[in-house]
């Protein structure tokens, strides 16, 4: 009798256990029932241009998966941009990290929320958000709306909190968030010099020093020309590096970035005198309307075409600025006169020795100006390194140059990027320049009242 009861009880217990396991297995398939409903692209300005850095997938309810990230392989991301355009871009994107978030932004940390953030590999060719029209050498930007599709092709979550794969639910991107760029305000100034100068400006949020915030004025290169009031921020980091969280934490500052248009007869390139006059008028107008600008710490930086404008502006208005960083520069009409005018003005210049767009050795190049400075008896610090070295190694060499300049009492540092070592191609010496915290630290250390 006892044996029979024991057997019956065991069978009953096994049946209950099997039922419980079956229920658990069923629950593990899809307890949340969440469905992907939308996607937002997140762009970021990289050293070599605008990239789609992430996709934020929105679900129809909050996802709670704990703190461990999701399986990146559970998502497929495809690109189809510029159909019928000059440079169609079609392919796949590689997901490098996936995590939930309460907001559609890159945080790197998983938190409960309606969004799944997919960080993407920015080194792959399909990461770009732009293309160059080589007939004009102008950079153009894809219309990203609707250009990406995303599908959850694998289960995500763990234990009894799992959202089952939904490979047939293909979501098309409907919006774009441009990191940093969207934080810039839009402006336009009808100058007495003639041009109507469109510009963007960034306002700092940090605590200003007692004399106010510094102001950085950036002059873009030819490729960022146009009338969209966007390219001067998106083309490279000449402007956005100064607005980045890291730089603003160290040096909260205004950033002012106008746009030139060489194809507009009412405007022109930065080497046009009326555009140089317009820049000065813009700076003066901006300072007048922002009384918290520290007028002893206004800085100028320009690359390529922007360096042409910078050299011309500095020769006429160096008293307006405290220091300058010029990159792959040229166009100086009289290097001896420039050397005499700028003998006491702090300049750090960077140029690739094999630059085939703005010749390093050409008459009127920044190299020739520094030669003239040294010939006139002005102390110059010469430095040279590979642009392909890791950033940390480049910064060690930059620190050595800055230290030597301080010891020698020199206001002038010239850095040569060794031939064959400039990232992407030889004209892009701005990549190692604006990636260097040491060069930016040096710039912010300049003060016209010291």
């Amino acid at each position: 009798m006892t044996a029979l009861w024991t057997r019956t009880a065991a069978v009953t217990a096994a049946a209950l256990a099997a039922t419980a396991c079956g229920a658990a297995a069923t629950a593990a398939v899809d307890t949340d029932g969440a469905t992907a409903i939308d996607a937002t692209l997140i762009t970021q300005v990289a050293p070599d241009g605008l990239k789609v850095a992430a996709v934020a997938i929105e679900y129809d309810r909050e996802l709670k998966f704990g703190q461990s990230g999701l399986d990146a392989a559970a998502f497929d991301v495809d690109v189809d941009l510029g159909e019928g355009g000059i440079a169609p871009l079609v392919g796949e994107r590689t997901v490098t990290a996936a995590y939930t978030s309460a907001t559609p932004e890159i945080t790197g940390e998983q938190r409960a929320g309606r969004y799944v953030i997919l960080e993407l590999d920015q080194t792959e060719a399909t990461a770009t958000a732009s293309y160059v029209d080589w007939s004009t050498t102008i950079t153009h930007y894809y219309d990203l709306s609707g250009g990406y599709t995303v599908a959850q092709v694998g289960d995500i979550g763990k234990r009894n909190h799992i959202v089952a794969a939904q490979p047939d639910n293909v979501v098309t991107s409907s919006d774009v968030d441009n990191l940093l760029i969207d934080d810039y305000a839009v402006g336009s100034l009808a100058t007495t010099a003639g041009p109507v100068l469109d510009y963007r400006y960034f306002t700092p949020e940090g605590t200003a020093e007692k004399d106010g915030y510094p102001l950085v004025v950036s002059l873009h290169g030819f490729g960022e020309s146009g009338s969209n009031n966007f390219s001067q921020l998106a083309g490279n980091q000449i402007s956005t590096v100064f607005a980045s969280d890291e730089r603003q934490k160290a040096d909260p500052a205004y950033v002012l970035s106008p746009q030139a248009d060489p194809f507009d007869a009412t405007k022109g390139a930065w080497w046009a005198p009326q555009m140089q006059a317009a820049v000065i008028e813009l700076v003066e107008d901006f300072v007048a309307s922002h009384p918290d600008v520290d007028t002893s710490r206004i800085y100028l930086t320009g690359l390529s075409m922007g360096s042409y404008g910078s050299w011309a502006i500095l020769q006429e208005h160096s008293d307006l600025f405290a220091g300058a960083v010029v990159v792959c520069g040229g166009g100086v009409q009289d290097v001896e006169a420039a050397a005499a005018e700028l003998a006491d003005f702090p300049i750090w210049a960077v140029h690739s020795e094999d630059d085939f767009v703005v010749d390093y050795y050409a008459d009127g190049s920044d190299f020739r100006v520094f030669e003239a400075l040294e010939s006139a008896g002005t102390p110059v610090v010469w430095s040279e390194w590979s642009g392909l070295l890791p950033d940390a190694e480049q910064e060690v060499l930059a620190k050595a140059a800055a230290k030597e300049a301080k010891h020698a009492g020199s206001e002038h540092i010239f850095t040569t990027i060794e031939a064959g070592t400039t990232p992407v191609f030889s004209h892009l010496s701005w990549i190692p320049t604006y990636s260097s915290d040491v060069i930016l630290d040096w710039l912010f250390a300049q003060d016209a009242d010291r």
Side-chain angles (χ1 to χ4, degrees):
M1 192 64 158
T2 301
L4 178 61
W5 173 252
T6 302
R7 180 176 182 277
T8 302
V11 171
T12 301
L16 289 172
T19 301
C21 289
T26 301
V29 171
D30 189 357
T31 59
D32 294 320
T35 302
I37 59 174
D38 199 4
T40 297
L41 303 184
I42 302 173
T43 71
Q44 193 167 37
V45 182
D48 56 342
L50 190 67
K51 305 291 182 71
V52 177
V55 180
I57 308 173
E58 183 180 2
Y59 284 75
D60 61 357
R61 66 198 68 184
E62 186 179 62
L63 306 177
K64 295 181 178 180
F65 295 145
Q67 294 186 349
S68 58
L70 307 179
D71 180 10
F75 299 90
D76 279 350
V77 180
D78 293 304
V79 185
D80 190 349
L81 294 171
E83 184 176 354
I86 189 169
L89 183 65
V90 179
E92 299 177 350
R93 295 298 308 274
T94 302
V95 180
T96 58
Y99 48 88
T100 55
S101 175
T103 54
E105 57 185 335
I106 300 172
T107 65
E109 298 180 353
Q110 179 146 299
R111 295 289 185 269
R114 292 168 58 97
Y115 296 91
V116 171
I117 308 301
L118 306 179
E119 294 187 13
L120 306 174
D121 182 356
Q122 294 192 53
T123 66
E124 53 196 4
T126 47
T128 187
S130 66
Y131 61 91
V132 177
D133 178 353
W134 289 108
S135 68
T136 61
T137 70
I138 299 297
T139 300
H140 297 269
Y141 295 86
Y142 291 109
D143 179 2
L144 297 175
S145 300
Y148 273 60
T149 53
V150 187
Q152 182 195 322
V153 296
D155 296 349
I156 56 174
K158 60 182 181 180
R159 299 188 185 95
N160 63 334
H161 294 288
I162 291 178
V163 175
Q166 40 195 275
D168 295 331
N169 178 26
V170 179
V171 178
T172 301
S173 61
S174 66
D175 199 7
V176 180
D177 287 346
N178 299 300
L179 295 183
L180 283 183
I181 291 177
D182 291 344
D183 295 331
Y184 281 69
V186 176
S188 184
L189 179 68
T191 68
T192 59
V196 176
L197 202 57
D198 296 327
Y199 63 93
R200 302 287 292 269
Y201 68 96
F202 179 87
T203 301
E205 295 181 350
T207 302
E209 297 179 11
K210 65 177 182 178
D211 293 325
Y213 293 106
L215 168 63
V216 179
V217 182
S218 69
L219 301 183
H220 63 79
F222 193 91
E224 294 73 59
S225 301
S227 59
N228 58 15
N229 209 6
F230 176 84
S231 297
Q232 75 269 36
L233 305 183
N236 47 61
Q237 292 183 314
I238 187 174
S239 179
T240 57
V241 70
F242 295 102
S244 68
D245 291 344
E246 297 80 8
R247 180 50 52 180
Q248 284 288 313
K249 183 178 180 180
D251 296 293
Y254 284 103
V255 188
L256 180 60
S257 303
Q259 187 178 33
D261 190 351
F263 302 101
D264 183 340
T266 67
K267 295 182 180 181
W270 296 128
W271 48 66
Q274 72 272 14
M275 289 295 280
Q276 296 159 17
V279 169
I280 295 303
E281 193 171 334
L282 173 63
V283 174
E284 292 174 342
D285 180 82
F286 190 86
V287 170
S289 60
H290 296 81
D292 56 346
V293 169
D294 180 355
T295 56
S296 71
R297 299 185 65 203
I298 300 176
Y299 307 114
L300 181 63
T301 186
L303 64 84
S304 194
M305 178 183 74
S307 75
Y308 281 60
S310 296
W311 279 114
I313 286 170
L314 290 174
Q315 289 178 73
E316 298 293 332
H317 301 280
S318 61
D319 58 333
L320 184 60
F321 301 96
V325 171
V326 293
V327 188
C328 51
V332 179
Q333 298 298 312
D334 186 334
V335 294
E336 285 77 17
E341 179 63 36
L342 300 172
D344 298 319
F345 184 83
I347 302 174
W348 193 322
V350 182
H351 206 142
S352 297
E353 187 175 13
D354 58 344
D355 190 330
F356 69 88
V357 178
V358 180
D359 189 348
Y360 179 94
Y361 295 103
D363 293 342
S365 70
D366 44 21
F367 171 72
R368 296 304 185 192
V369 176
F370 272 69
E371 276 191 327
L373 283 164
E374 190 169 61
S375 295
T378 303
V380 171
V381 170
W382 301 94
S383 55
E384 183 174 353
W385 57 76
S386 165
L388 299 178
L389 288 173
D391 286 348
E393 293 184 31
Q394 293 191 55
E395 296 207 345
V396 168
L397 296 168
K399 283 181 181 178
K403 183 177 180 180
E404 182 183 347
K406 185 175 181 179
H407 179 74
S410 174
E411 304 284 10
H412 302 89
I413 305 174
F414 191 96
T415 297
T416 299
I417 304 300
E418 296 171 353
T421 71
T422 306
V424 187
F425 68 91
S426 65
H427 186 48
L428 275 60
S429 48
W430 54 82
I431 291 179
T433 300
Y434 297 111
S435 297
S436 174
D437 285 329
V438 175
I439 294 176
L440 303 188
D441 288 344
W442 174 90
L443 183 63
F444 278 102
Q446 308 309 313
D447 190 325
D449 286 345
R450 289 179 186 170

